[in-house]
Structure formats: structure tokens, C-alpha cells
Amino acid sequence: MSYLHAPRLVFTGDFLSDVSTVNNDTAHYNNTTFKPNFQEPGKGATNGWWNPEGGAVFDFQNCAVKQVFLPDGTTQTSQSDDIIIGQAVVGAQGRPTGKMVDLDPDAQMFSALWCVQLRICAANGDLLFKGDITTTSFRDLQMRQLDGGKSNGQPLGASWTSVITNVEWGPLAEQSAFLKALRATTQNNTLAINMNPFGYYYNHNDGRFSLGRIIGSIGPYFEGEPLTFAAARRLYGINYTASARGTYFSTSNFLVEPDAKRVSVDFGASFPVANSIGTINYNQDLRLAVSKVPQTGVASRQTPTFYINPNDFIEIGALGYQSDPNWLNQTGGIVSFNNLPDATLSALSNNQLILITPSTSQPGQFAIIAREAIDGLVARADNFIQRLDDGQSVNIDFYAYQWGKPLPNASISVTLDPPTPDTPVSPQNPISEIYGNNFPADGLTFNGQISTDPKGKAQMLLAGNAIYSPRVYIDGQIYFITYQTATVDQAFGTEQVVVHLRDYFQEIAQPVWDDISEMMIQYSNLYPIMSKYVVNLADPMALAEKKNILIFAFSRDMNDTMHMPVTRDLSTTKRNTILNWLNNPQIAPKGVVRSDAREVRAANPVAPGTALTDKQTRYREAVKAKNGSFPGFSATNDLFENL
Amino acid sequence: MLQIDSKYIEKALSANALEELYPLLQNAVELEHSTIPPYLTAMFSLKPGSNLVQRQIIHSIVIEEMLHMTIAANILNALGGNPVIDQADFVPEYPGPLPMGIGNGLIVGLEKYSTDVVKNVFMEIEEPENPLVFKSVSLAAMPTYSTIGQFYQAIQQKIEELAPDDLPGDKAKQVTSSFFPADELFPIYTKQNAIDAINIIIEQGEGTSTSPLDQEDELAHYYRFEELYKGKRLVKDPAAPNGYSFSGPTIPFSPDDVFPLFPNTKTSMLPAGSEELNRMNEFNTSYYSLLSGLHTTFNGQPGMLDNTVGVMYDLKLTAQKLCAMPFPGKPGYTIGPSFEFIVPVGS
């Protein structure tokens, strides 16, 4: 079961993400080279980017339930059909909003939602249901906006998949047949949710600064399934669009339900849109089909398009999106084909789904826009973003599927990526030396060869060991750990487990200000909203004065929305040391000179200037594209040309 | 002279059963809340890092109004009633009168900080039954009139008269917090607890009849505001008639470091589809979230109070950002937080 299963609902609206941006620059973490103008809005490393006073707030705005899909294959779109349609989807009530934060300045591709509450309410505030969205990070970043993000500045979209727990059914829930069916279907009082954010505004345009569009769907959850991705089959884009230097329709989840004779494809995260609010401005003839022959094409500039002969596929049907420019917002981009013929279903059981369009350059042929993963194979890590202290360990859960079914005995190899070099100060890196990632290698311990069990699941124990400031002025280290099955589908590539391993630090029972000042000054530098409006984190007297509220915030559980620091980047020992100081603020300097006889910091094993791997280079470019420091995207006017 | 509509005091004094005090205590909860938006608006208008004494004094008073609201709700619960905080009529329309006809028509708005507002609004709200006059005005005989303090005294008297020693309310509903000293915010289990708690409200607001200080030796609200108005600290002065005079250190004030909030900004004044409107909606969403969170807190889930503290920070940060935003179409003004009761809706 998943967000694609029936009964499911679709909601659409806006999200507010007031992320802070001073911390988008690694060099801004260096207290010794920090300058006040790094807190001012403006592009370039010597400024604070587009939202230096961000407070990390994430919230739903203007979101409403658009339609529901029932197990019998019908779709309802009117409140006269079900009371839940048209109702507001809103965030927390009586507690702070959720938060959106990156893992680390060296790992900005996995922006995570923390502590987000989702409620569906009638106009008078009466509740249908509410619950808590389990922490989840971006996956599947992809190109969305054909206008290149001209107005908003960010043409990419992504997905957050998660589960909703602590579900409470409100007084109106009984009045919704849909909710009754959902409640009866789902397990463990948990729901599956997927949300596709796109159209985010870095720019103060259209009255939408710090807003983006979000399309969500909520369906039943079954125990034992992954929490942060759907146990679904996947389509990968293989049509190269030159202006985008890549593909559209890059990744889409889909579900085949043989008993219901149905296929449901979710284009909510991938359907190209004209603008930041999700308008569709083309009417290309797009069809779904099952390929009778294996498709292995991978998009490239050299071979931008792959073709298929009509004899080689079984057509399922055309995507009927053309009648309404608002189709995506209304339907969530999920298309379901019911009552499939047995032959089609049978073919789908071990053949690839394809998204095709009639070719103009090769009449009679069809161009393949997207194809299913080779051999229908999907293997992903579930809890792939980790924060670890030394001495802590965690089981990373992997799930493998073939043609949508759990795949036993799938071998998965897991490898720490090579170290990246330090970057010395230069005209391109004007503020401070930036240190590399993925070293020292002995910071993490794991078994790099695992195999799935009869249920298609494998676990890998990942343990953190003591490391000693490999990045000097930023706590801990970022490790990218690539995993792959025996064959890699290059249309999607590989994915990674990404770990922030905190520095070894011995808790100080009776700290003086000098023991915590570097940490607090760094927070003060990076989060001006705190020092400007709440308390000057760099001023021990001010901290002492506000110690009660600070003790409150620093002693919250990490899954509490009021947890400090909001970035969740402090080790337990450092956090406890701060708490120890707040409980007994000693402002006078230390009597004895602090022993600097700490362990020697691990040297970067690679020299500055060492070439990055292709993947690391692409990653750096992608970070720039995602965090607003990419110089400019171009518009796509050739989406379906030359096919 | 600031008056409360005497019918509320008569209602209290004529009560024959504890239930008849419920609406009056509900009024008290509403009254204590109603002063917070005007005070906060003035405080948020002070530019960050400037006018620090003004900020500190208003903040200290707001915190005590929150305490008074909590105490009033605790007493209502202790007597067996149910505070209602999440309804539209809980929030006053600003500008407008405060609940219970306080101030005999005193119109309270949401405005930027100014010494005029301090004098003409805040000091009026907090004016004691017999303000002690320090050094500048003659001690003329005061006419008799009814104050908020007298209203609380009437309730106190009736609780003394009507309530059993062990109060009937569900003890699990009492709200306490580590953010307040235990001798100021304590659970109301007994009649004596209720009487002691009401004394705290009266004295923090008005002082005692002989001293500007309350039992914690802090200046009552009225005198703290008077310090801001006079720009001088009120200090002990053996030579002065009442033992105190405004002869302490000067309180500097920089009017340039106050954001020029458009008075009584409303959501409807902001252009549709504007960033400013979105920010205002964000603010009122937090405000609604806060009120509903407090409602839950005072209706059987006292542990929720901690969460509402977090919402207060959300609200504060959004308000401060609003105050710095130029008001579209109103040159020379910025946007004030509107404190409107708006249930967030879908599109």
C-alpha cells in the first residue's frame, strides 16, 4: 500500500518555506573570517543569499483537497460527493510550525521536513483528521518549469515521501465515506503521504517570495513498508532536452494492481509545467504503453531520443490532460487506467511501462519519453539521511523490488565515496579555506556487502567513530555512501546514504563561556534572526538573562519542533555542555589555559586540486542549482521538438 | 478616570452560586488577553537593538498579563467552569473598547510605540483605584469609582463567601509553568489559593494602596508605564511625599528607532496576492494557532502550554518582520500585526 493506492486523496496549494540562507555557504561557518555583510541579502559568497533572516518555518498555505480516488476506480471532485473535497489542508495548531532544514552546508540536496503537522479542516476549523508527518528529506530533484524559473528563480521540483502518524480522526471524519474507507484500509493508524514541491520563489516577485507550490496525495499505509519512498515501480526520463541539459519526466512512480486491473502513474513530481504555479501549456499526444522488448536507452546529448515501433508495445491509453491548463493542480498528476485487458496486465507483470509520443521525425514510430527501470528493478535505502555521534550506530534499511514485488537475494554493495579535496582561498573562494568531505574513512564502520531477505529487505549497521574536526570550523564530517545493485540503470544512476558524523567532543560538566563561545558565535553569525529578534547568541550576558527559555529550547527532543538548534547539527555532548553552561553561566574567562592536546585532526588524504569524480562534480552543480547560487537556468522551448 | 462598567461588579456581588461567577471569570480571561495585542504591537514597533528599556518594560508587563490570564483561567477551572479561548468573539476588534466597558469608552488600538500611547492608553488601562502621585501632581481626593482591581476584589469576596474550602474543579486542569515563579503561578485547589492568586493580579497591575510595589517588590504596571512616559526611573526618595520620585536615571528614547506602523493595520488593507498579505496571513495563522493551543491547554491538557510558548516565538518573529515591511500604497508607513481571528482555510 502507498499513497498511490486507493482510497487516496489529492491536495494542492502553496507551501511556505522560510529557510535561512547564510548557512548555504560553507565558508560562512568560519567565525574568524565572518563579516557582517554575510547577513545581508544579496548574491555571492560575500552576501547572505536570498533569505538571511529565515527562521526555517515550513507551513501549508492555501492548500485544499482537490479530489479523492476510490477503490472501485471512480474519482470524486465535488463536496457534494464527499465532505472532505474542498476542505483546507493546514499545518500545526497550538504548537509551532514545522521546520525545513538541510543536513549540512556540504549536504544541501536533502532538505528535510521536521515536525510538520498536517490537518484537514472544514472552514470553521472543525477537524476531519490530523497527524504528524515523519521526518523526511528531498528525493528525486528534477526539472519542472519550462520557463526556467524566470520569475521565481528555482525551476526544480522534488518529492517528500513519508508517513503520517499519531492520526486523530475529528468529529467530521464520520461524515466522509472516503475517510471511513481510508481508515478501514490503512494499518497501524498510519497513513502514507507524498508531496511534490516546486515553483519555489527565491525572488520577491508575484507576491510569492518564500512560497512554492505543493501537490500532495495521501493513501493507506501497510506495516513493514518503507517510510520515505513508495514501494512502487519507477519510470525514468530518457528523452534528452538540450536547453535543460537533461531530461524532463525524470522520475515518476507507478503502481500496477492486477486484482483491480489497474495501473496508476504519478506524474505529480515530473510533469513539466509552464510556470511556478503548475500551469500546463502544451498539448502533446502522450500515451502510456507496455514495451514488449526490453528498453535500456539512456538520455544523452549524442542520442537524445529513442524510438519504438508500434508492433513492439501494447498501448494502455492517452494522458487526457489537455482539456484543462490546471490539470496538474486538480488531479495531482496521478493518472489511473482501470479495467485493463488481461493481456496488458499480463505484459505489465514482467515488461516495462513506457511513456511515448508519436514521432514526427520518424513517421509511424513513437518516441520514448520515459521508460521503466531496467528489469523493473528498484532498490533504495529508506532512512538514508543520518546524524550520528561517535559511539552511536543505526540500521540502514534497504528494500529491493522487481516489477513491484519484493526481491529476495538482491545483492547490494555499499561504498564510501572518495574524499573530496580542500579548496584553498582563491578569487573563486574568497572567504575561507573550505575543507573536503568523506574523510577520515575510519569515521564510519559498515559492512559493504548486504543481501535482501525473503521480504526484499536488507539492513546495514552503520556505526560512527570518533573523528577530530576534519573540517576545522564546521562540526563533524559529511560522508556520502553510494549503494548499488549488481547492475546500475544509468537513466537514474545510483543513490546514496548521507551521514553527518559529529566531532568527538567530551562533555564539560562546568563549562565557562570560552568553552561554548565558538559554537554560540557561529550560530549568531549564521542565524541573524535569533540575535536580532530573540537573544544575541554571541553575548554571554544576554544568554544568561534568557537562560530559562534557552534551557527549554536546548533540552527539547530532536523530534520536537522547538528543538535547538533548529538545524539539529549538535552532538549530544556539545548540546549538554551548552545546557551545563546555561544552568550555571560562568562568564569569566577560564583560569587555566585550555589544553589543546586534542587528537590531531585528520588530514585530508587528497591534495587540493584533485579532480572530483563525475558524480561529485554533478553534485556540486546540482547544489548550486538547488540552493539559489546557480547563475541562471534557461527556458525550454523545445520540449517535444525533433522527436 | 478609568472605570469598569459597574454592572459587572454588581453581578459579582449579587452572585448566589459559583456558577454565576463563570461568565465573569471568562470576562476576566478575555480582559487580560485584550491588553496583550496593544502592548505587543507597541513593543514590536521598536526597532531591533534599539529602545531597549522600552522593550524590556513592555515585555515584563506582557509576561505578567499572560500570567494574569493564566490565573484567571485557573480560577475558572477551579470553580468548575471552562475557559473558552478559541472563538472569534474572544478577540476584541481594534480599535475599540476593551471587554466589560473598561475605561468608560477608552478606545484601544494597535499602534506603534509613542509616549502618547503610553500615557493615553496604557496608563489608562492600568490605572489603579487611587494612583499614588509622586511629586508632580497634588494629592487631590479621588472620587469613588470602580476599577479592574475592584472587579477582582468583588470576585474574590464572593469566592470567599460561596466556595467550599476545597474547590470543586478538576485539579488535573490546573496550569503551571516553569516560566513563572511557583509563588506567582500555582495550582488553584483551595479557596485560599484562589484568594491569594487574585491578590497577585491586583497588585501586579495596580500596586498596593500604599506603595507602587507589588508583593514581589516590583513596580506595578501603571508605574512602569509612567516611567516610560516621564522618561525617568521611579526610585526610592526619602525626601519625596510618598517615598518615591521620578528622580532615577533617564530612560533614553529614540523616536527614529520606532517603525512607523500604520495604526490598526487590517488584513483587508493589504493588496490581494501580495507578499505582505502572505506575511500577515502567516502572522494571523500563528495567532489562531496560539489561541487554539491555549484553549486546549486550559481545557484539560495543561502540558500543551510548552508548545504554545513555541507558537509565541513564531508569532513574534513574523510580527517583527511585518513591522519592518513598507506598507504598499501608504508611503511612510510600515505594516502592523493585525491580531485578527482568522481560521486558516484552503484555496
Side-chain angles (χ1 to χ4, degrees):
Chain A
M1 293 288 164
S2 72
Y3 74 90
L4 274 173
H5 279 85
R8 65 170 186 259
L9 66 79
V10 168
F11 68 89
T12 303
D14 299 326
F15 69 97
L16 167 73
S17 175
D18 182 36
V19 289
S20 58
T21 55
V22 183
N23 68 352
N24 278 5
D25 243 295
T26 306
H28 290 175
Y29 280 69
N30 189 341
N31 290 349
T32 60
T33 53
F34 196 84
K35 300 263 183 1
N37 49 294
F38 302 169
Q39 297 185 338
E40 298 296 325
K43 286 194 174 183
T46 52
N47 285 303
W49 299 100
W50 44 276
N51 194 29
E53 283 192 15
V57 165
F58 174 92
D59 209 359
F60 300 106
Q61 284 197 353
N62 313 311
C63 286
V65 177
K66 296 297 181 187
Q67 60 182 43
V68 301
F69 181 84
L70 303 175
D72 66 2
T74 57
T75 297
Q76 294 178 334
T77 57
S78 160
Q79 203 167 88
S80 58
D81 295 325
D82 196 292
I83 184 179
I84 199 169
I85 297 164
Q87 306 293 9
V89 179
V90 293
Q93 180 176 302
R95 71 180 212 202
T97 61
K99 300 288 182 278
M100 176 169 159
V101 292
D102 284 332
L103 179 63
D104 186 272
D106 290 342
Q108 296 186 38
M109 298 298 279
F110 318 101
S111 304
L113 300 184
W114 285 84
C115 314
V116 175
Q117 186 178 53
L118 179 145
R119 297 180 300 127
I120 300 187
C121 298
N124 64 358
D126 283 355
L127 183 70
L128 284 114
F129 77 90
K130 69 175 180 182
D132 297 321
I133 298 176
T134 298
T135 299
T136 182
S137 307
F138 271 164
R139 290 182 188 261
D140 297 339
L141 265 76
Q142 51 193 311
M143 275 298 283
R144 292 308 297 274
Q145 264 174 262
L146 298 170
D147 65 1
K150 188 173 54 177
S151 185
N152 52 314
Q154 175 52 280
L156 303 178
S159 295
W160 284 303
T161 307
S162 186
V163 292
I164 304 177
T165 61
N166 304 321
V167 177
E168 263 183 65
W169 306 91
L172 293 184
E174 278 298 305
Q175 297 177 32
S176 165
F178 165 79
L179 278 188
K180 282 198 273 192
L182 179 61
R183 195 174 176 177
T185 310
T186 203
Q187 292 187 349
N188 222 5
N189 207 33
T190 297
L191 298 170
I193 182 169
N194 183 71
M195 294 179 289
N196 306 310
F198 65 93
Y200 184 72
Y201 277 74
Y202 296 136
N203 300 331
H204 290 266
N205 285 339
D206 308 327
R208 291 178 63 82
F209 172 72
S210 74
L211 292 186
R213 182 117 300 194
I214 193 163
I215 290 174
S217 49
I218 297 174
Y221 173 77
F222 268 20
E223 282 177 60
E225 296 193 329
L227 304 179
T228 70
F229 66 96
R233 294 166 71 169
R234 312 249 294 161
L235 277 179
Y236 302 142
I238 59 165
N239 176 227
Y240 186 87
T241 302
S243 54
R245 298 192 302 162
T247 62
Y248 283 91
F249 290 103
S250 294
T251 51
S252 313
N253 294 326
F254 73 95
L255 178 72
V256 178
E257 296 170 281
D259 294 344
K261 299 183 184 296
R262 179 157 67 217
V263 60
S264 300
V265 188
D266 178 12
F267 293 108
S270 62
F271 216 78
V273 293
N275 52 32
S276 60
I277 57 168
T279 310
I280 310 289
N281 65 341
Y282 48 87
N283 56 11
Q284 188 76 13
D285 177 359
L286 295 171
R287 305 181 200 178
L288 284 172
V290 193
S291 178
K292 294 191 243 176
V293 292
Q295 297 294 337
T296 57
V298 175
S300 70
R301 184 187 298 274
Q302 293 72 29
T303 315
T305 312
F306 296 86
Y307 298 92
I308 187 167
N309 188 299
N311 295 327
D312 290 335
F313 64 76
I314 304 170
E315 184 171 326
I316 293 173
L319 307 189
Y321 68 92
Q322 293 93 339
S323 60
D324 180 5
N326 203 34
W327 171 81
L328 182 66
N329 288 315
Q330 178 58 37
T331 64
I334 304 177
V335 291
S336 284
F337 290 89
N338 295 291
N339 305 315
L340 295 182
D342 288 343
T344 306
L345 280 168
S346 167
L348 269 175
S349 68
N350 56 4
N351 288 284
Q352 289 162 287
L353 185 77
I354 49 178
L355 176 68
I356 53 174
T357 190
S359 171
T360 44
S361 62
Q362 302 195 25
Q365 299 274 306
F366 283 73
I368 304 176
I369 304 295
R371 63 154 170 84
E372 185 172 0
I374 294 171
D375 295 331
L377 191 61
V378 172
R380 307 186 91 178
D382 195 5
N383 47 343
F384 71 111
I385 297 298
Q386 288 296 331
R387 291 162 165 83
L388 276 185
D389 288 358
D390 69 275
Q392 288 182 335
S393 59
V394 62
N395 270 316
I396 307 293
D397 298 329
F398 294 83
Y399 295 83
Y401 302 90
Q402 186 170 35
W403 310 118
K405 294 197 178 81
L407 180 63
N409 302 317
S411 133
I412 299 172
S413 54
V414 189
T415 319
L416 177 62
D417 284 7
T420 56
D422 300 344
T423 309
V425 173
S426 71
Q428 289 75 41
N429 179 39
I431 300 169
S432 163
E433 181 164 19
I434 294 174
Y435 298 94
N437 301 132
N438 304 329
F439 71 90
D442 60 6
L444 294 177
T445 306
F446 57 89
N447 173 5
Q449 279 298 332
I450 50 175
S451 183
T452 57
D453 66 14
K455 291 179 174 173
K457 182 176 178 181
Q459 283 194 321
M460 181 189 84
L461 187 68
L462 177 70
N465 307 314
I467 57 171
Y468 305 94
S469 307
R471 293 189 296 171
V472 184
Y473 54 81
I474 309 183
D475 187 277
Q477 182 58 287
I478 291 293
Y479 291 92
F480 292 86
I481 305 167
T482 297
Y483 61 87
Q484 58 190 70
T485 47
T487 52
V488 174
D489 187 337
Q490 294 300 343
F492 180 65
T494 53
E495 289 190 293
Q496 294 159 316
V497 173
V498 185
V499 184
H500 178 216
L501 176 65
R502 281 80 169 254
D503 279 335
Y504 171 83
F505 184 84
Q506 187 152 20
E507 181 177 334
I508 303 171
Q510 292 179 305
V512 297
W513 173 244
D514 286 351
D515 292 316
I516 65 164
S517 62
E518 285 299 311
M519 295 180 239
M520 302 312 284
I521 289 168
Q522 187 176 62
Y523 284 128
S524 176
N525 289 340
L526 297 173
Y527 308 105
I529 190 173
M530 281 295 294
S531 289
K532 195 166 172 185
Y533 300 120
V534 181
V535 56
N536 183 355
L537 296 171
D539 176 358
M541 302 288 282
L543 290 175
E545 198 176 307
K546 298 255 186 186
K547 67 176 196 168
N548 286 345
I549 189 73
L550 290 166
I551 289 168
F552 173 79
F554 275 91
S555 56
R556 302 272 112 182
D557 181 83
M558 187 154 83
N559 287 299
D560 186 316
T561 179
M562 288 173 283
H563 173 96
M564 283 276 283
V566 73
T567 46
R568 294 163 169 84
D569 55 0
L570 273 186
S571 59
T572 304
T573 48
K574 282 190 173 175
R575 202 155 65 95
N576 285 344
T577 300
I578 291 172
L579 278 168
N580 293 343
W581 185 87
L582 289 167
N583 277 304
N584 181 20
Q586 296 299 309
I587 292 164
K590 221 170 189 167
V592 261
V593 177
R594 183 161 68 179
S595 160
D596 276 331
R598 288 185 296 178
E599 301 282 332
V600 180
R601 121 178 153 84
N604 192 330
V606 296
T610 303
L612 299 174
T613 64
D614 286 351
K615 180 151 186 157
Q616 287 167 340
T617 302
R618 284 199 303 276
Y619 175 81
R620 292 225 170 151
E621 286 169 4
V623 168
K624 284 184 188 170
K626 181 257 171 186
N627 78 2
S629 55
F630 185 68
F633 293 94
S634 47
T636 295
N637 300 311
D638 54 351
L639 179 58
F640 298 114
E641 280 182 17
N642 307 314
L643 292 179
Chain B
M1 287 302 156
L2 184 65
Q3 291 185 314
I4 180 171
D5 187 332
S6 55
K7 80 174 181 200
Y8 291 96
I9 292 177
E10 284 158 23
K11 270 191 196 172
L13 292 174
S14 64
N16 292 312
L18 286 181
E19 289 75 14
E20 292 174 45
L21 296 178
Y22 296 171
L24 296 169
L25 281 158
Q26 172 69 28
N27 287 336
V29 175
E30 290 170 11
L31 173 66
E32 298 295 349
H33 161 266
S34 71
T35 61
I36 294 174
Y39 294 166
L40 280 182
T41 301
M43 189 182 89
F44 294 148
S45 77
L46 303 168
K47 291 184 182 172
S50 71
N51 292 318
L52 297 177
V53 179
Q54 284 77 5
R55 176 180 295 272
Q56 183 270 324
I57 284 182
I58 300 176
H59 185 258
S60 70
I61 292 171
V62 167
I63 295 292
E64 289 184 358
E65 299 297 355
M66 293 176 181
L67 170 65
H68 300 172
M69 183 177 160
T70 306
I71 290 174
N74 272 347
I75 294 174
L76 180 50
N77 270 323
L79 299 185
N82 301 307
V84 177
I85 299 173
D86 64 347
Q87 298 298 312
D89 56 9
F90 184 81
V91 178
E93 172 85 13
Y94 301 102
L98 297 185
M100 294 192 284
I102 290 292
N104 194 17
L106 175 70
I107 297 299
V108 177
L110 303 178
E111 298 187 46
K112 71 170 183 177
Y113 179 91
S114 68
T115 42
D116 279 356
V117 162
V118 170
K119 170 70 177 166
N120 298 330
V121 183
F122 298 173
M123 285 173 65
E124 283 288 306
I125 293 173
E126 302 285 356
E127 183 163 23
E129 185 178 352
N130 291 299
L132 298 168
V133 178
F134 303 108
K135 246 203 157 156
S136 45
V137 186
S138 68
L139 251 179
M142 297 292 169
T144 53
Y145 58 93
S146 308
T147 65
I148 302 169
Q150 288 176 320
F151 167 72
Y152 277 116
Q153 276 164 359
I155 291 178
Q156 195 179 37
Q157 186 183 325
K158 276 294 160 176
I159 291 175
E160 170 89 79
E161 195 180 309
L162 298 172
D165 283 343
D166 190 25
L167 297 175
D170 180 352
K171 291 181 169 53
K173 290 185 174 179
Q174 291 295 309
V175 174
T176 56
S177 165
S178 58
F179 292 110
F180 291 108
D183 58 353
E184 293 184 35
L185 181 60
F186 43 82
I188 313 283
Y189 296 150
T190 66
K191 181 152 82 177
Q192 192 58 45
N193 293 152
I195 290 167
D196 293 345
I198 288 176
N199 283 335
I200 289 169
I201 300 182
I202 297 171
E203 289 172 16
Q204 287 187 342
E206 303 191 348
T208 67
S209 54
T210 55
S211 164
L213 306 181
D214 61 19
Q215 285 180 337
E216 290 79 40
D217 275 347
E218 286 177 344
L219 283 180
H221 296 180
Y222 178 82
Y223 304 103
R224 276 184 252 176
F225 280 135
E226 198 174 13
E227 287 187 316
L228 294 183
Y229 172 62
K230 301 216 179 216
K232 286 278 195 182
R233 288 291 194 181
L234 179 61
V235 292
K236 279 191 173 160
D237 180 355
N242 285 308
Y244 287 84
S245 71
F246 287 99
S247 57
T250 299
I251 299 172
F253 174 52
S254 165
D256 288 346
D257 287 323
V258 179
F259 287 115
L261 307 189
F262 189 77
N264 304 304
T265 302
K266 299 287 176 200
T267 300
S268 60
M269 297 173 182
L270 297 169
S274 64
E275 185 179 332
E276 291 82 1
L277 178 62
N278 288 332
R279 193 63 85 182
M280 182 70 95
N281 287 339
E282 190 189 343
F283 172 81
N284 281 317
T285 297
S286 289
Y287 185 44
Y288 175 78
S289 174
L290 175 58
L291 293 176
S292 57
L294 289 172
H295 182 83
T296 310
T297 302
F298 288 112
N299 282 275
Q301 296 186 49
M304 286 284 288
L305 188 70
D306 280 353
N307 284 329
T308 67
V309 172
V311 184
M312 292 175 207
Y313 277 84
D314 280 355
L315 179 122
K316 170 193 164 86
L317 292 172
T318 313
Q320 301 252 201
K321 287 184 181 180
L322 270 178
C323 291
M325 287 181 112
F327 203 125
K330 296 191 195 301
Y333 286 107
T334 62
I335 301 169
S338 68
F339 287 97
E340 290 164 285
F341 187 92
I342 296 174
V343 181
V345 293
S347 54

